[in-house]
């Protein structure tokens, strides 16, 4: 499938993400609910970086279960509990996506459990 990013020349430039993604049809689309920073046993790591990596690992597990991979991601929304996590979030996202750009939104918001520092949801298409 020829999924590709678009960055309109008459809109602000994106820095490390795509302003928009085109998914030519027909496509199989996977909507992944917010992935939390807990492992299968329910353990939540203490620090932000460990929690972020756990969220990404959970997201990638859902992609595999849906017959997809990180290459099929088109949209990611990250919910952070504190703006101070933005720089670390950017670094870990770049690491986990290995430089792939996707449409991206980062929101500073509360999450369901006070021990969680972030949650990540996504849309993939293949």
């Amino acid at each position: 499938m020829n999924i590709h990013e678009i960055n309109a020349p008459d809109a602000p430039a994106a820095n490390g993400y795509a302003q928009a993604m085109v998914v030519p049809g027909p496509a199989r689309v996977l909507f992944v609910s917010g992935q939390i920073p807990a492992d299968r046993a329910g353990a939540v790591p203490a620090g932000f970086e460990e929690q972020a990596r756990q969220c990404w690992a959970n997201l990638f597990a859902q992609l595999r279960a849906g017959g997809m991979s990180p290459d099929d991601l088109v949209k990611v929304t990250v919910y952070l509990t504190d703006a101070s996590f933005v720089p670390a979030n950017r670094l870990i996202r770049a690491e986990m996506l290995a430089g792939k750009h996707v449409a991206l939104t980062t929101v500073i918001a509360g999450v369901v459990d006070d021990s969680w520092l972030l949650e990540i949801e996504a849309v993939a298409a293949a």
Side-chain angles (χ1 to χ4, degrees):
M1 179 165 290
N2 186 21
I3 297 172
H4 61 277
E5 68 180 270
I6 295 175
N7 289 293
D10 55 342
N15 182 14
Y17 62 94
Q19 289 285 22
M21 297 289 291
V22 174
V23 179
R28 188 167 57 91
V29 179
L30 176 67
F31 294 86
V32 182
S33 294
Q35 296 300 295
I36 63 171
D39 65 15
R40 187 166 171 81
V44 176
F48 178 80
E49 291 183 12
E50 295 83 5
Q51 285 197 20
R53 286 187 175 86
Q54 184 64 59
C55 284
W56 283 104
N58 293 342
L59 173 58
F60 292 168
Q62 298 302 335
L63 291 172
R64 284 190 303 276
M68 296 189 187
S69 76
D71 290 337
D72 299 312
L73 286 170
V74 294
K75 173 71 170 117
V76 172
T77 304
V78 179
Y79 299 92
L80 301 175
T81 60
D82 193 293
S84 67
F85 299 135
V86 169
N89 180 62
R90 282 185 187 140
L91 290 173
I92 293 167
R93 181 185 72 240
E95 169 192 322
M96 300 305 286
L97 294 179
K100 176 182 172 46
H101 291 176
V102 299
L104 174 72
T105 302
T106 303
V107 179
I108 309 304
V111 293
V112 174
D113 187 306
D114 289 340
S115 67
W116 304 345
L117 303 176
L118 76 160
E119 189 171 335
I120 302 174
E121 69 179 16
V123 177

